[in-house]
Amino acid sequence: MALRILVPIKRVIDYAVKIRVRPDKRGIETANVKMSMNPFDEIAVEEALRLKEKGVAKEVMVVTVGSKACQETLRTALAMGADQAIHVEHDSDVIEPIGVASVLHKISLKHTPNLILLGKQAIDDDCNQTGQMLAGMLKWPQGTFISKVTVDKEKGVEIDRETDSGSESLSLSLPAVLTCDLRLNEPRYAKLQNIMKAKKMEVQKTTPKELGVDMSPRLEIVQVNEPPKREGGVKVKSVDEVVAKIKGA
């Protein structure tokens, strides 16, 4: 039996945009800023599509939590080749990992995927929490920071994952939650004809309230500051001078 894969995705500020802190220092400026799919989530979508093309999966479903503008991100995934899209409408500047994981838990119980692939983290908050929380709620095995995945519908999933000490190989039973790292693949570009088709595809809509999830923030952002500017470098004439400056630092 072919698998059903769920891929949660997030709309974030494009990785090439220079980030600006809001004047009130309570967050990042997002008005009139280019937004795109979180790069790690894009890798997750690509891997799900590759598994479908190999005949391992029969369906790829993408889901996002956020404002109306997030539909653009869903349609990007549909243009890449996803079959279905779900938009959990929640118009708030603060969406925490525990809230997203709770929503995904409810979505998973309703749509019964065999495999959940998501980015290891979002590049806006760098929390790296949603996948682990979701696996805990579902009581499913999890593989994090994966750089290689092989799926056998009978035996389960074999993965390579990145660690501080090198690469680690693991075997997991299905269903499972996997979070994707940069080395896993290089995402495809959507064809123009698929982009046009995606604009007409249906997007299922729901809300956290309909799912029975409380999205109230549990944390308060006290202040956001830009990192200190780097000081100018200096030229040295010899290795001895480099060593002396390091010792004196």
Side-chain angles (χ1 to χ4, degrees), residues 5-9 37 41-42 44-50 52-53 57-63 73-86 188 190 194-195 197-199 201-204:
I5 302 178
L6 179 68
V7 186
I9 59 177
M37 189 189 305
D41 296 340
E42 195 172 9
V45 173
E46 174 64 28
E47 195 62 28
L49 295 176
R50 292 187 184 190
K52 181 184 173 184
E53 289 165 354
K58 65 176 180 179
E59 184 180 47
V60 175
M61 179 182 295
V62 291
V63 58
T73 309
L74 287 172
R75 296 195 185 281
T76 298
L78 290 171
M80 290 174 68
D83 302 293
Q84 294 189 55
I86 302 173
R188 70 192 68 189
N194 292 339
I195 294 174
K197 288 180 182 178
K199 291 182 178 180
M201 294 179 69
E202 180 184 1
V203 173
Q204 302 174 46

Side-chain angles (χ1 to χ4, degrees), residues 105-163:
H105 178 221
K106 296 291 186 178
I107 294 289
S108 300
L109 294 177
K110 180 178 180 180
H111 293 277
T112 61
N114 310 97
L115 181 65
I116 300 177
L117 285 170
L118 65 164
K120 70 171 185 177
Q121 65 194 68
I123 62 171
D124 52 1
D125 55 24
D126 281 331
C127 281
N128 177 27
Q129 296 171 351
T130 304
Q132 292 89 327
M133 289 179 175
L134 176 58
M137 292 175 181
L138 290 168
K139 294 181 171 57
W140 288 6
Q142 61 176 298
T144 56
F145 319 131
I146 68 168
S147 56
K148 183 180 178 182
V149 57
T150 304
V151 179
D152 186 305
K153 290 172 284 188
E154 303 298 330
K155 297 180 180 179
V157 184
E158 291 185 358
I159 64 167
D160 290 347
R161 61 184 299 270
E162 303 292 324
T163 71

Side-chain angles (χ1 to χ4, degrees), residues 231-245:
E231 297 181 0
V234 296
K235 292 183 178 180
V236 295
K237 296 180 180 179
S238 66
V239 175
D240 291 338
E241 191 175 349
V242 173
V243 173
K245 285 186 175 295

Side-chain angles (χ1 to χ4, degrees), residues 8-235:
I9 59 177
K10 186 178 183 181
R11 182 174 183 262
V12 299
I13 296 176
D14 189 85
Y15 71 92
V17 171
K18 180 176 173 56
I19 302 299
R20 302 192 311 273
V21 176
R22 291 199 322 233
D24 62 5
K25 293 191 175 182
R26 299 300 296 271
I28 301 299
E29 186 62 66
T30 57
N32 301 314
V33 173
K34 181 183 178 183
M35 309 292 282
S36 60
M37 189 189 305
N38 177 48
F40 292 105
D41 296 340
E42 195 172 9
I43 290 168
V45 173
E46 174 64 28
E47 195 62 28
L49 295 176
R50 292 187 184 190
L51 291 172
K52 181 184 173 184
E53 289 165 354
K54 292 176 182 177
V56 175
K58 65 176 180 179
E59 184 180 47
V60 175
M61 179 182 295
V62 291
V63 58
T64 194
V65 182
S67 65
K68 185 177 179 181
C70 293
Q71 282 199 33
E72 180 184 346
T73 309
L74 287 172
R75 296 195 185 281
T76 298
L78 290 171
M80 290 174 68
D83 302 293
Q84 294 189 55
I86 302 173
H87 182 197
V88 183
E89 296 176 319
H90 183 63
D91 197 5
S92 173
D93 291 335
V94 181
I95 301 178
E96 296 176 350
I98 184 66
V100 176
S102 299
V103 165
L104 297 177
H105 178 221
K106 296 291 186 178
I107 294 289
S108 300
L109 294 177
K110 180 178 180 180
H111 293 277
T112 61
N114 310 97
L115 181 65
I116 300 177
L117 285 170
L118 65 164
K120 70 171 185 177
Q121 65 194 68
I123 62 171
D124 52 1
D125 55 24
D126 281 331
C127 281
N128 177 27
Q129 296 171 351
T130 304
Q132 292 89 327
M133 289 179 175
L134 176 58
M137 292 175 181
L138 290 168
K139 294 181 171 57
W140 288 6
Q142 61 176 298
T144 56
F145 319 131
I146 68 168
S147 56
K148 183 180 178 182
V149 57
T150 304
V151 179
D152 186 305
K153 290 172 284 188
E154 303 298 330
K155 297 180 180 179
V157 184
E158 291 185 358
I159 64 167
D160 290 347
R161 61 184 299 270
E162 303 292 324
T163 71
D164 290 339
S165 57
S167 180
E168 181 181 58
S169 298
L170 296 175
S171 179
L172 293 76
S173 59
L174 288 171
V177 176
L178 305 179
T179 71
C180 305
D181 211 337
L182 286 173
R183 291 185 179 87
L184 183 57
N185 61 53
E186 184 174 340
R188 70 192 68 189
Y189 290 100
K191 296 179 180 179
L192 179 59
Q193 62 186 29
N194 292 339
I195 294 174
M196 300 306 292
K197 288 180 182 178
K199 291 182 178 180
K200 299 178 181 179
M201 294 179 69
E202 180 184 1
V203 173
Q204 302 174 46
K205 297 179 182 178
T206 186
T207 64
K209 185 177 181 180
E210 290 175 352
L211 295 170
V213 175
D214 179 13
M215 296 287 285
S216 302
R218 293 160 172 78
L219 304 174
E220 179 187 359
I221 297 175
V222 178
Q223 193 175 73
V224 177
N225 292 295
E226 293 186 6
K229 293 182 178 180
R230 293 180 61 182
E231 297 181 0
V234 296
K235 292 183 178 180

